[in-house]
Amino acid sequence: SAHAIVVIGVGIDVAWAFTAFPLVLDEYSAEKQGITGTCVHYNRIETTRPSSPAKLAYLAYEVPENIYVYSGRNANATLAPSSLGRAFIAPPGATVYFGDYVFVGNGTVEFRRNIEAARSGAQSVLPRDTVLEPAEPTTVAHAPALLCTP
């Protein structure tokens, strides 16, 4: 299959100032060195969580195989400086865990990774007997924020 199942964890340690906490990971084209698609139509992993503090929730998405990057659309919540968490490979036919994105306050999202906790926590969102493996991180050229103009 040309699709992968991607699992991410989303948590909120400190209340988010808005009504809901959004998180977006964009599909990335290594060829274009930017996101795939156009302003109107492009593939992404997108979730919205209530803004009050909450433990990790594991979410699963079926996505086209490719690279996925922490989106420039997450402008109000920048990813804490780290070599990990910015970009991962979603290979065809695989079920992979990118990691956990946790809002820790001060406009910052911290990336964490615990494959054993994810395997346990994601059981309810994955088909029975699915083997969850850690996704391979990758390095990408800077993915600029998507600018749409008339």
Side-chain angles (χ1 to χ4, degrees):
S1 162
H3 285 82
I5 295 175
V6 169
V7 171
I8 61 169
V10 179
I12 302 174
D13 282 357
V14 177
W16 176 247
F18 306 98
T19 54
F21 176 74
L23 180 77
V24 182
L25 300 169
D26 295 328
E27 184 181 13
Y28 179 86
S29 166
E31 186 179 307
K32 285 179 27 181
Q33 294 192 353
I35 70 160
T36 60
T38 65
C39 283
V40 177
H41 179 76
Y42 68 100
N43 291 324
R44 63 196 171 274
I45 296 169
E46 186 169 18
T47 187
T48 303
R49 304 273 300 145
S51 60
S52 54
K55 291 183 179 178
L56 277 176
Y58 291 98
L59 308 163
Y61 299 87
E62 183 176 352
V63 298
E65 64 168 300
N66 211 336
I67 296 168
Y68 288 82
V69 298
Y70 190 82
S71 179
R73 290 177 54 208
N74 297 317
N76 289 331
T78 57
L79 196 58
S82 165
S83 58
L84 289 176
R86 296 202 182 278
F88 290 96
I89 298 168
T95 301
V96 294
Y97 165 65
F98 282 8
D100 306 326
Y101 295 87
V102 181
F103 179 68
V104 294
N106 297 323
T108 302
V109 169
E110 190 174 282
F111 180 77
R112 303 170 185 169
R113 209 166 193 211
N114 182 333
I115 185 64
E116 293 307 321
R119 284 178 175 145
S120 172
Q123 285 180 350
S124 65
V125 297
L126 293 174
R128 198 177 164 126
D129 298 325
T130 299
V131 177
L132 182 62
E133 296 296 339
E136 180 184 341
T138 189
T139 303
V140 298
H142 175 68
L146 187 61
L147 295 176
C148 299
T149 56

